[in-house]
Amino acid sequence: MAPIPLQRDTVQRPGTTRAGGAHGPRLASRTSLPGIPLAPSAARRFVRAALAEWTGLGVPAAVGFSDRLADDAVTVTNELVTNAVVHAGTTVDLVLRLEEEGGDEPSAALVLEVTDHHPARPVSGDEPEPAPEPGRAVAGELPDPAEYGRGLQLVATLADSWGITYRTGLKTVWARLPVDDWSAPPAPPDGEALRRGLRAAEILAPAARRTERDDAVWDSRGAPAFLAEASDLLAGQLDEDLVAAIAGQLLVPRLADWCAIWLEAESGGPGAEPRLARVWHSDETGTEPLRTALEREPFRLPADVGSGPVPVPVPWPAHHAPQTEDGGPHTEHAPQDTQQDASHSQHAPHPGSRDGAALAFRITAGGRALGTVLVGREGVTQVPEAVSSLIEDFVRRLGLAVGAARAYTRQATISRILQRGLLPSKVADIPGVTSSLVYEPSDDGVVGGDFYDIFPCPGDRWCFVLGDVQGSGPEAAVVTGLARPWLRLLSREGFGVGEVLDRLNRLLLDDAMEAAEAAALMVAAAGGQQLHDGTQSRFLSLLYGEVVPLPGGGVRCTVASAGHPLPLLLRPDGSVRPAAEPQVLLGVVEDVAYESQVFHLAPGDTLLCVTDGVTERRSGPLMFDDGDGLARVLAGCAGLPAEATAEKIRRAVHEFAEQPPDDDVALLVLHAD
């Protein structure tokens, strides 16, 4: 049977957690599994994936995610889900929560909840007894193993506390595992993201504990299962170092005692040396000696070697690298004639075989060499052919994952460079006004559709902009790249707020007409065949304003909203009102005259401007601004400075739903001093 596909619903990101009562902030991840024998294995993968994701996101409590905690969480999950499947046979709901407690001695714990849907469950004995009142009942004595199985004895041993909650038609068994080393200091900022990512990879693909390797498992069923698991773990990884880390832990110790992975430089020329990305050994004490031996000279296969296995000398015998006369490692490659027949050469003895056997595989994708994998076994003269073939298949998948990660990295780099060019490197300071800006693109790898700007203009004027282009990606970038410079140019030419929008609307319509004509020419050149080049209508919503400081304090604001969420004006007494009138989007209607509204921002007043990523943030069928939800949150910010107001709004937006925002979030706060 194929593995159960997992659907994780509620993983939250740092800074977006909900209050958890006495236990403080919490993260939660949940899934549902069918009541079949494959459910426990799917549950184990689910728990490791959740722990890895929280670690990679930099959740503070993840500092204490030790190997033991991850293993205990997986073991407890396995036992609870197995019990639910065996005794209930219904769909199983699995929830994993991370609860943090503050105070003088902060602590954290993982809480696992497994719920079955059996309509009636006996508590003990032969006849059903009345179930306890709904709520949490902490177990005092272990249930009869004949009734519940011996899994709960293991749960009781590993968990800090555990218990059972009964509800109508539901039974939930929960267990609490304390997080280790909560007080451990964080790693230095340099390389923090990579450090978290590597730790996440270790949680995601742990090395199997074993005393003896059984190569007989790699039969017609074992090999496909391993490759399927490897494909699942490698797919979607967006960093090549994480890909290498996961690959190393999949290979060792399942298929080899040790491995090393080199990656070629992305843009390196013929003389560029490969980089030793990962070294992994089943014996922790052997990792550093192996790394030391391998770092002395970069490993590289001859150019004419294909993707098959190539026997090479073991880089060090008995954990010590053999030395040549000049002090370098003994790493010469097998002669070319032995490389032509992989099946023959791996059975032939070679130098170093008395200390073990080693095979090298080239990592390729799209016909391009991306690196090399070196695997070894100790105390043998050869690697079984079935294992060699399996590693070769695995390396093909590794090549695809490395290639995909590099393609994403290139695209993300281009997007970041483009994003820096589309957004101002610095916004201007307005005299008498404190400003605070929040900008969170929904996808860090894609250019967002929201943009902002604050800039000075002649005549002691300062202008501010908050816009939202339809769509995202290159088409949105085109409109942003046109709109922001045009706005600065028109504003500095002395046009009023309404006139600026009139002219920007005309420019967008003209540009859209030119784009349509160009598309028509492309269709004609293609013989009338419609081309789908991703071209979108070029229109946007925009909030544009002008601020003029007043001699007696405060500022005069002139604003206009073109299809944009209306700005809200907060007075010191907590009253909130819209500060503009709704008008049509830019780039849609040709004959339109935009109007502006003028008001005074007195000392203590606050103006809030947002994009629809705030107002239309969803939680099921509800939106954040339903029933003037944004105004209610803003009313609670009376008396707060600009930065505190912006943070309170941002936090409220994230906490409105358990899942992260799926749209760009941008908001601008102007507070009159």
Side-chain angles (χ1 to χ4, degrees):
M1 289 184 289
I4 299 174
L6 294 180
Q7 181 176 358
R8 191 159 65 253
D9 298 330
T10 60
V11 172
Q12 295 175 286
R13 294 179 180 173
T16 69
T17 54
R18 296 177 297 160
H23 291 287
R26 64 177 59 173
L27 297 175
S29 185
R30 59 172 53 87
T31 191
S32 293
L33 303 168
I36 62 177
L38 288 178
S41 63
R44 295 194 299 269
R45 289 189 289 116
F46 168 81
V47 169
R48 286 205 184 275
L51 296 180
E53 183 164 358
W54 294 343
T55 300
L57 291 173
V59 176
V63 172
F65 284 0
S66 63
D67 290 337
R68 177 178 177 179
L69 176 65
D71 291 343
D72 287 353
V74 168
T75 301
V76 169
T77 301
N78 182 79
E79 297 302 325
L80 294 183
V81 173
T82 299
N83 267 1
V85 169
V86 170
H87 293 291
T90 67
T91 298
V92 178
D93 298 329
L94 170 61
V95 178
L96 176 66
R97 294 201 314 274
L98 175 61
E99 297 182 345
E100 301 177 15
E101 262 188 23
D104 296 335
E105 297 183 0
S107 61
L110 289 176
V111 178
L112 288 152
E113 296 181 355
V114 174
T115 301
D116 66 57
H117 296 259
H118 198 285
R121 298 297 307 271
V123 178
S124 63
D126 298 329
E127 298 297 329
E129 297 181 5
E133 292 295 324
R136 180 169 287 181
V138 178
E141 297 182 0
L142 292 176
D144 181 4
E147 171 66 25
Y148 286 92
R150 300 189 179 275
L152 291 184
Q153 293 180 331
L154 180 59
V155 172
T157 301
L158 297 178
D160 176 61
S161 59
W162 68 279
I164 303 173
T165 300
Y166 289 91
R167 299 179 181 86
T168 303
L170 297 175
K171 174 189 172 185
T172 299
V173 184
W174 58 271
R176 184 179 186 274
L177 305 174
V179 174
D180 305 326
D181 300 328
W182 171 248
S183 59
D190 294 338
E192 173 67 13
L194 179 59
R195 185 195 69 83
R196 294 198 310 264
L198 293 175
R199 179 63 187 127
E202 292 171 1
I203 293 174
L204 197 61
R209 287 171 171 78
R210 60 171 181 83
T211 57
E212 183 177 355
R213 181 183 294 110
D214 182 9
D215 288 329
V217 302
W218 308 121
D219 55 14
S220 58
R221 291 180 300 172
F226 170 77
L227 293 174
E229 178 187 6
S231 298
D232 287 343
L233 293 174
L234 294 175
Q237 300 300 326
L238 304 179
D239 185 290
E240 62 181 57
D241 287 306
L242 297 186
V243 171
I246 292 174
Q249 291 169 84
L250 286 170
L251 289 171
V252 177
R254 289 180 172 113
L255 300 174
D257 290 312
W258 55 266
C259 78
I261 300 175
W262 285 265
L263 295 177
E264 300 286 348
E266 174 78 28
S267 57
E273 297 291 352
R275 174 174 61 90
L276 184 58
R278 191 64 171 169
V279 176
W280 199 256
H281 199 289
S282 58
D283 179 1
E284 293 181 359
T285 63
T287 300
E288 286 309 314
L290 175 60
R291 182 186 299 277
T292 300
L294 295 173
E295 283 180 341
R296 290 173 179 156
E297 181 179 344
F299 184 90
R300 175 174 281 161
L301 287 170
D304 57 352
V305 171
S307 60
V310 178
V312 296
V314 173
W316 96 101
H319 295 183
H320 296 285
Q323 302 291 314
T324 59
E325 294 182 357
D326 60 356
H330 185 64
T331 59
E332 71 271 11
H333 303 298
Q336 183 172 342
D337 59 349
T338 65
Q339 299 166 6
Q340 303 303 318
D341 185 352
S343 61
H344 171 74
S345 61
Q346 61 183 307
H347 290 86
H350 53 78
S353 62
R354 68 179 185 275
D355 302 308
L359 295 175
F361 300 81
R362 189 184 300 283
I363 305 172
T364 62
R368 181 182 179 187
L370 301 180
T372 305
V373 174
L374 181 64
V375 297
R377 288 191 173 191
E378 297 175 349
V380 299
T381 59
Q382 63 186 34
V383 177
E385 185 172 357
V387 174
S388 174
S389 298
L390 180 57
I391 296 176
E392 183 178 352
D393 287 340
F394 171 81
V395 172
R396 291 194 187 98
R397 288 160 173 77
L398 173 60
L400 294 175
V402 172
R406 289 192 169 185
Y408 175 84
T409 300
R410 287 193 296 270
Q411 183 60 48
T413 301
I414 294 171
S415 294
R416 284 193 294 269
I417 294 172
L418 183 58
Q419 191 80 61
R420 286 198 298 266
L422 296 176
L423 297 175
S425 57
K426 181 181 179 181
V427 296
D429 294 325
I430 304 174
V433 174
T434 303
S435 64
S436 182
L437 179 73
V438 172
Y439 178 70
E440 297 178 347
S442 60
D443 189 337
D444 292 337
V446 178
V447 177
D450 291 2
F451 67 97
Y452 59 87
D453 204 356
I454 302 177
F455 54 91
C457 289
D460 292 329
R461 297 178 298 124
W462 278 260
C463 296
F464 62 91
V465 177
L466 196 60
D468 185 1
V469 180
Q470 181 210 25
S472 61
E475 282 296 321
V478 169
V479 179
T480 303
L482 295 173
R484 198 171 71 85
W486 281 344
L487 279 167
R488 285 199 171 205
L489 179 62
L490 293 169
S491 302
R492 289 168 176 170
E493 288 296 318
F495 294 108
V497 171
E499 294 176 305
V500 168
L501 295 191
D502 290 343
R503 284 162 171 76
L504 180 59
N505 184 58
R506 181 69 263 170
L507 288 168
L508 287 172
L509 288 169
D510 290 346
D511 184 73
M513 181 64 70
E514 293 175 2
E517 292 174 352
L521 291 175
M522 293 176 62
V523 171
Q529 181 180 0
Q530 184 65 40
L531 300 177
H532 298 281
D533 61 352
T535 302
Q536 305 168 351
S537 299
R538 296 183 175 181
F539 58 83
L540 73 151
S541 70
L542 187 74
L543 180 66
Y544 172 69
E546 180 182 280
V547 175
V548 178
L550 299 175
V555 296
R556 183 179 74 248
C557 288
T558 306
V559 299
S561 176
H564 202 81
L566 299 181
L568 298 178
L569 178 60
L570 170 66
R571 299 297 188 186
D573 62 1
S575 61
V576 178
R577 69 170 180 85
E581 297 293 332
Q583 300 178 84
V584 69
L585 289 164
L586 293 167
V588 177
V589 180
E590 184 172 357
D591 296 326
V592 60
Y594 289 93
E595 297 181 354
S596 59
Q597 288 75 44
V598 181
F599 59 92
H600 286 80
L601 203 62
D605 289 347
T606 298
L607 184 68
L608 172 65
C609 311
V610 302
T611 60
D612 61 9
V614 173
T615 57
E616 297 179 7
R617 164 83 155 127
R618 286 193 170 274
S619 177
L622 302 177
M623 290 195 297
F624 181 74
D625 200 32
D626 285 348
D628 295 327
L630 179 59
R632 288 199 306 272
V633 176
L634 180 60
C637 299
L640 296 180
E643 185 174 354
T645 299
E647 174 58 23
K648 187 170 183 177
I649 301 295
R650 186 202 69 82
R651 190 168 60 248
V653 171
H654 280 279
E655 293 176 352
F656 182 70
E658 292 181 333
Q659 68 274 13
D662 58 3
D663 193 7
D664 301 339
V665 173
L667 62 93
L668 172 65
V669 176
L670 301 178
H671 179 78
D673 300 329

